[in-house]
Amino acid sequence: MTVYDVYNTSWELRASPRLTAILPVGALEAYGPHLPVDTQTRLLDVIARRVAEELAGDVLLLPTLPFGQSEGVEGLPGTVALSWRTLLSVIADLGDALRQTGVHRLAVLVGLGGVGCTTVLPREQRIVKTAVRRLNYDHPDLDALWVQPLTVAEPSLDTWFATAADDVHGGEVVTSLMQHLYPDLVGPGAQDHVPPQSAACLDVAPLRAVCPQGVWGYPSRADATKAPAALQAIVAGTTRYIQDTMTEMARLKRHPR
């Protein structure tokens, strides 16, 4: 198994035409006063690389897109985002470009997700689901999937974090991971905030309407010592999800992969 990193790989890609490409889609958006605006992108960088190292077969690790669709936190300081139309086109173009180079498997890591999510609908950047679906419809020779790493962690993140289900944005889980991986970037001023509404309200209202500081969760309960085990579960669950889904897609499409 070889991980081809686009930062140090070029012509030798010819030797492995049956690659699985990993495309992390991050964001530049408000995460409260205690976390940097590139929190999602930084965490996806780490998760994607570790997943690439665990996946069977050769893997092409693409750079993490630093901009995504940040519809719920638009207008909050630090948020710089793409429209859903632009992001839809970006994913479609990248998928088609990969296919033309002989890559026939694409796993899109779309945001982070969390314990309160499912594998049916992304919590962040929902248009990516549509983009991935269109790639599969338009290009039968391309197997594309999307996954949110924190959602598919094995075991579930509430094994370590009591408030994991309330960690919608910038809470205990994400803050713990950042304290472990980037301690110098986690600042003071974390304020717990969980609105009385359920997370389902985000289907009809932006996060900024109920969380004016961009935090939905309990960042004050973050514990960096729990993060290594949680990160291992995130990587293991994401790796397994990609492998199982790719196997099932190949079976349904009746082609060898």
Side-chain angles (χ1 to χ4, degrees), residues 55-81:
L55 277 174
D58 295 336
V59 178
L60 174 61
L61 179 60
L62 297 168
T64 301
L65 285 178
F67 303 107
Q69 181 194 9
S70 301
E71 190 173 43
V73 290
E74 286 177 347
L76 292 181
T79 301
V80 180

Side-chain angles (χ1 to χ4, degrees), residues 42-57:
R42 286 180 177 274
L43 293 180
L44 282 173
D45 273 340
V46 173
I47 294 167
R49 179 166 298 279
R50 296 191 185 187
V51 169
E53 293 169 352
E54 294 294 325
L55 277 174

